[in-house]
């Protein structure tokens, strides 16, 4: 067995004892559904500093495993209470998990020192890089909220000019958001689709730029989003919303939105230097739920403390692909408000908004609401995209609330022919070859297919290409998975054939999605284009973000795939008039409440659910992802 030296580190045990423990632990690790990287990480730590406690390697491997699943850390309390459920494993593996993981973690030999590979904090076991990112985020938030911020002297008057009295009862949450953003250097604005996040931003721009002009200066504004698609949509949405403001209240020309990778000078696959120091007064980031731990830490480091940062996003959507659920954790409690008495009084005086019903009431609420960040967080609640009694809205709320009973009723109810606007189409095919799906796609893309077919081989103009891109975006098939008969790859092939196209190669009409950033071609991961006849042969047309077309030779596109169907993950930051959401025939780990909610809310006016097995739908509604991390209460 090992002994503990004066520094608390495990000294090397005799070879026989160490070898026995190592062999026993290797057998345990081999029997668990870990990745090769997880096992290698644990073995590396054991070889560098041996431990005789057989639980230690398992805890190290589980920390790596959770990181791979998007968690910032391994929550040891949840591991002890919920066992395999925390890991997404079969309950039959429970006996092989470490007993008393909290006590075992306290004696880990790999948590000592400032450069230790693991960090133990408040019952959470981190890889050091994740812990460092969390600490950086916490410190940056605290520093930003302590930074003095002069409130515009005419704030109340400006808010009244920007926001007309509303017809719905309750506070005007967009007005509340603008008021709060004018008084601090950090504001979080969350809300579902159609709740007016972009409209709020436009009015905030008008408010802050008007205040800056009165002081004889111009406000330097940067707009950003995690993906190229989300950045383009942010720019388009703001341009559209600007037209709704009176001419004398419109802000100065707003710079084109950029990706966070470009803004923060991140080059995947390359070593990253220090975050750039941005010369800005205001940074607005959309789709913040997609931002992972390390990118959020870099963003907060790049925006100077003298500038304002506004994060927009839907806290209930899918979290980032990489580790962390930063927006969801920072916005925890947003629905309850948790506003302090001082904030309630200030909003009443400045914005004529009574948020008293959302004030911190109980002792626990007061404790949570005492956080400065809670006073700078606003949840927009009224959807203007679809009415409360619309089918999409009803489905979205039922799924988001995890109300399986209501979802069952909605699935089984007969569509109301007299009120088609509140109906959601449902399709339960018995085979992946069901002809109804191809017919659905043909009808959904009719406005796109007709001009494409009429065009034939004639060269396509820029205006025709833009019209084709817009028509294609009117309908989209979204899948939960990539593989299998109901996955992206199989459906892309079937839809291409069903619509009369080839199922591979380049051809006129082929829709493609960029799968990797290409800065040389000014294309970002997620950008969608159409292969069309051009005066120089086949070319792929992409929107250039400024109302024009960017034509690219197909042979230069080495990272694209057909996109008759895309994953729900890839659809984040997009919206379509009609969405066809396809679930697999078997439960899979990625099929969760958050994925369903995200897919459903990509639809603006019509939703078709394709569910081969209804039990898969019920299980997905019950499966809520709660990523482990320490940013709650930051």
């Amino acid at each position: 067995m090992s002994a503990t030296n004066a520094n608390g580190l495990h000294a090397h045990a005799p070879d026989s004892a160490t070898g026995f423990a190592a062999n026993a632990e290797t057998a345990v690790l081999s029997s668990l559904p870990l990745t090769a990287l997880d096992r290698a990480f644990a073995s590396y730590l054991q070889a560098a500093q041996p431990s005789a406690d057989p639980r230690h390697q398992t805890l190290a491997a589980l920390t790596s495993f959770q990181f791979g699943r998007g968690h910032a850390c391994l929550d040891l309390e949840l591991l002890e209470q919920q066992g395999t459920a925390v890991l997404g494993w079969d309950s039959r593996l429970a006996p092989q998990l470490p007993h008393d993981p909290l006590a075992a973690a306290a004696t880990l030999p790999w948590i000592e020192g400032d450069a230790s590979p693991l960090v133990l904090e408040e019952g959470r076991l981190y890889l050091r890089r994740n812990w460092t990112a969390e600490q950086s985020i916490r410190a940056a938030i605290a520093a930003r909220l302590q930074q003095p911020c002069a409130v515009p002297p005419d704030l109340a008057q400006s808010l009244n000019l920007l926001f007309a009295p509303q017809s719905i009862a309750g506070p005007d949450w967009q007005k509340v958001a603008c008021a709060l953003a004018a008084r601090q250097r950090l504001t979080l604005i969350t809300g579902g689709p159609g709740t007016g996040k972009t409209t709020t931003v436009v009015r905030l721009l008008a408010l802050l730029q008007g205040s800056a002009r009165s002081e004889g200066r111009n406000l330097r504004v940067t707009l950003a989003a995690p993906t190229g698609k989300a950045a383009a949509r942010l720019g388009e949405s703001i341009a559209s919303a600007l037209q709704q403001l009176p001419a004398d209240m419109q802000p100065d020309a707003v710079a084109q939105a950029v990706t966070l990778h470009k803004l923060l000078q991140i080059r995947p696959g390359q070593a990253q230097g220090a975050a750039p120091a941005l010369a800005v007064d205001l940074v607005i980031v959309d789709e913040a739920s997609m931002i992972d731990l390390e990118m959020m830490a870099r963003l907060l480091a790049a925006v100077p403390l003298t500038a304002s940062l506004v994060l927009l996003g839907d806290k209930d959507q899918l979290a980032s692909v990489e580790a962390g659920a930063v927006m969801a954790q920072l916005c925890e409690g947003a629905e309850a408000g948790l506003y302090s008495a001082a904030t309630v009084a200030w909003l009443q005086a400045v914005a004529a908004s009574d948020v008293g019903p959302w004030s911190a009431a109980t002792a626990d609420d007061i404790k949570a609401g005492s956080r400065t960040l809670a006073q700078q967080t606003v949840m927009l609640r009224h959807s203007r995209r679809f009415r409360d009694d619309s089918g999409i809205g009803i489905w979205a709320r039922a799924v988001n609330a995890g109300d399986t009973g209501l979802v069952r009723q909605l699935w089984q109810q007969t569509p109301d022919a007299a009120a088609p606007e509140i109906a959601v189409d449902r399709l339960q095919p018995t085979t992946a070859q069901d002809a109804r799906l191809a017919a659905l796609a043909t009808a959904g893309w009719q406005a796109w297919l007709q001009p494409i077919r009429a065009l034939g081989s004639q060269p396509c103009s820029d205006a025709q290409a833009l019209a084709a891109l817009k028509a294609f975006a009117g309908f989209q098939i979204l899948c939960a998975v990539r593989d299998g008969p109901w996955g992206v790859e199989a459906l892309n092939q079937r839809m291409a054939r069903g619509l009369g196209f080839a199922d591979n190669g380049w051809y006129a009409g082929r829709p493609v999605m960029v799968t990797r950033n290409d800065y040389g071609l000014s294309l970002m991961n997620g950008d969608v284009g159409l292969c069309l006849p051009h005066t120089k042969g086949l070319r792929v047309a992409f929107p250039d973000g400024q109302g024009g077309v960017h034509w690219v030779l197909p042979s230069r596109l080495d990272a694209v795939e057909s996109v008759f169907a895309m994953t729900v993950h890839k659809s984040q930051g997009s919206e379509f008039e009609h969405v066809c959401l396809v679930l697999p025939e078997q439960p899979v780990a990625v099929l969760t409440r958050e994925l369903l909610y995200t897919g459903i809310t990509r639809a603006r006016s019509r939703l078709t659910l394709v569910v081969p097995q209804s039990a898969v739908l019920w299980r997905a509604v019950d499966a809520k992802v709660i990523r482990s991390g320490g940013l709650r209460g930051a």
Side-chain angles (χ1 to χ4, degrees):
M1 301 294 291
S2 66
T4 303
N5 61 25
N7 295 321
L9 301 179
H10 287 281
H12 285 255
D15 289 344
S16 58
T18 304
F20 177 79
N23 289 337
E25 190 60 15
T26 298
V28 171
L29 292 179
S30 299
S31 66
L32 295 176
L34 300 163
T35 69
L37 181 61
D38 302 330
R39 297 189 183 94
F41 174 69
S43 297
Y44 169 78
L45 295 182
Q46 177 68 13
Q49 192 171 7
S51 167
D53 189 333
R55 297 173 295 178
H56 286 166
Q57 281 193 72
T58 302
L59 287 175
L62 292 178
T63 303
S64 172
F65 176 76
Q66 289 294 74
F67 170 65
R69 297 177 66 223
H71 294 265
C73 61
L74 174 64
D75 191 313
L76 299 169
E77 292 184 3
L78 286 180
L79 181 66
E80 186 168 24
Q81 295 166 6
Q82 301 180 18
T84 53
V86 173
L87 306 167
W89 290 351
D90 190 296
S91 59
R92 288 173 292 185
L93 293 170
Q96 299 181 57
L97 295 181
H99 67 276
D100 199 356
L102 284 164
T107 60
L108 276 165
W110 311 309
I111 60 173
E112 303 292 338
D114 294 338
S116 62
L118 298 175
V119 176
L120 179 64
E121 181 179 83
E122 297 182 0
R124 300 184 296 270
L125 188 59
Y126 292 85
L127 299 178
R128 176 163 287 278
R129 60 184 288 186
N130 288 348
W131 179 82
T132 300
E134 269 199 7
Q135 296 305 303
S136 175
I137 292 170
R138 280 180 169 276
I141 289 174
R144 186 166 298 280
L145 293 176
Q146 291 170 6
Q147 185 74 13
C149 181
V151 177
D154 59 347
L155 179 58
Q157 180 182 358
S158 298
L159 288 171
N160 288 333
L161 291 173
L162 285 166
F163 293 92
Q166 61 178 11
S167 57
I168 60 174
D172 185 338
W173 290 105
Q174 294 184 24
K175 189 177 183 181
V176 168
C178 285
L180 292 178
R183 74 169 189 172
Q184 279 285 9
R185 298 298 186 187
L186 175 64
T187 306
L188 308 183
I189 303 176
T190 185
T195 52
K197 294 186 289 292
T198 304
T199 303
T200 304
V201 164
V202 168
R203 283 166 169 73
L204 177 62
L205 285 172
L207 175 71
L208 296 182
Q209 286 195 339
S211 177
R213 282 197 296 265
S214 68
E215 298 172 0
R217 59 188 180 89
N218 290 321
L219 199 68
R220 298 169 297 175
V221 180
T222 293
L223 306 176
T227 66
K229 185 191 303 182
R233 182 166 168 257
L234 174 62
E236 293 167 0
S237 299
I238 285 182
S240 176
L242 282 172
Q243 299 175 5
Q244 301 173 18
L245 289 178
D248 60 342
M249 299 180 65
Q250 292 193 7
D252 298 334
V254 178
Q256 182 179 355
V258 299
T259 65
L260 282 175
H261 283 81
K262 183 175 182 179
L263 178 68
L264 302 178
Q265 300 175 16
I266 297 174
R267 291 297 181 107
Q270 298 182 13
Q272 309 300 327
L278 302 177
V280 293
D281 299 307
L282 173 64
V283 176
I284 297 171
V285 182
D286 197 12
E287 298 294 343
S289 63
M290 301 169 65
I291 304 176
D292 61 67
L293 268 178
E294 293 190 352
M295 183 173 284
M296 184 64 80
R298 190 173 179 88
L299 172 64
L300 287 166
V303 180
L305 291 178
T306 53
S308 295
L309 174 62
V310 177
L311 300 178
L312 307 168
D314 187 344
K315 65 181 179 61
D316 297 315
Q317 277 190 32
L318 285 166
S320 60
V321 175
E322 302 298 331
V326 181
M327 189 69 174
Q329 291 184 14
L330 294 181
C331 289
E332 188 174 64
E335 192 162 358
L338 303 180
Y339 297 120
S340 66
T343 298
V344 171
W346 185 83
L347 286 171
Q348 182 67 62
V350 172
S353 298
D354 180 12
V355 299
W358 291 269
S359 62
T362 68
D364 288 341
D365 286 345
I366 292 171
K367 182 179 179 181
S370 65
R371 295 188 293 115
T372 309
L373 186 58
Q375 309 310 304
Q376 288 301 119
T377 303
V378 180
M379 180 173 175
L380 306 181
R381 300 158 196 270
H382 178 63
S383 176
R384 293 163 175 80
R385 182 180 300 175
F386 28 74
R387 303 196 320 263
D388 289 343
D389 63 348
S390 72
I392 297 172
I394 293 171
W395 270 89
R397 287 193 302 277
V399 167
N400 200 26
D403 192 339
T404 310
L406 178 55
V407 169
R408 285 174 180 265
Q409 293 177 25
L410 293 171
W411 178 256
Q412 294 165 359
Q413 74 180 13
T414 302
D416 187 350
E421 74 277 6
I422 66 169
V424 171
D425 298 323
R426 286 145 289 157
L427 185 63
Q428 190 165 10
T430 57
T431 171
Q433 307 305 322
D434 194 309
R436 290 178 294 174
L437 192 55
L440 177 66
T442 300
W445 272 312
Q446 193 62 35
W448 166 65
L449 290 169
Q450 284 183 340
I452 288 292
R453 289 166 176 165
L455 190 65
S457 60
Q458 300 176 22
C460 184
S461 68
D462 285 11
Q464 288 173 312
L466 283 172
L469 285 163
K470 182 179 180 180
F472 179 76
F475 175 79
Q476 185 62 57
I477 299 173
L478 303 182
C479 301
V481 297
R482 290 194 59 84
D483 302 324
W486 298 104
V488 165
E489 294 180 359
L491 279 173
N492 267 322
Q493 290 187 339
R494 291 209 304 276
M495 290 303 102
R497 291 194 296 267
L499 296 173
F501 296 114
D503 57 7
N504 57 65
W506 289 102
Y507 52 84
R510 182 190 178 192
V512 295
M513 173 183 282
V514 177
T515 58
R516 186 175 65 241
N517 292 347
D518 189 326
Y519 295 94
L521 294 176
S522 299
L523 295 175
M524 296 294 112
N525 184 6
D527 286 350
V528 172
L530 286 174
C531 183
L532 297 166
H534 191 263
T535 54
K536 299 179 181 179
L538 287 178
R539 293 293 187 273
V540 183
F542 292 92
D544 65 4
Q546 299 177 329
V549 177
H550 176 41
W551 295 94
V552 180
L553 190 68
S555 61
R556 298 191 65 189
L557 296 170
D558 58 355
V560 294
E561 62 185 19
S562 294
V563 71
F564 295 104
M566 69 173 73
T567 62
V568 174
H569 279 85
K570 285 287 189 182
S571 75
Q572 290 189 95
S574 300
E575 59 181 20
F576 312 93
E577 287 298 328
H578 183 184
V579 163
C580 175
L581 179 58
V582 181
L583 304 190
E585 76 279 24
Q586 297 292 333
V588 290
V590 299
L591 187 50
T592 63
R593 184 184 309 174
E594 290 80 5
L595 185 139
L596 281 178
Y597 171 80
T598 302
I600 288 169
T601 55
R602 298 311 89 202
R604 276 196 293 257
S605 59
R606 187 178 174 192
L607 172 68
T608 300
L609 293 169
V610 178
V611 183
Q613 295 291 335
S614 57
V616 173
L617 176 60
W618 321 146
R619 179 165 174 171
V621 175
D622 284 335
K624 180 171 177 58
V625 174
I626 301 178
R627 285 191 173 179
S628 299
L631 288 176
R632 293 180 178 87

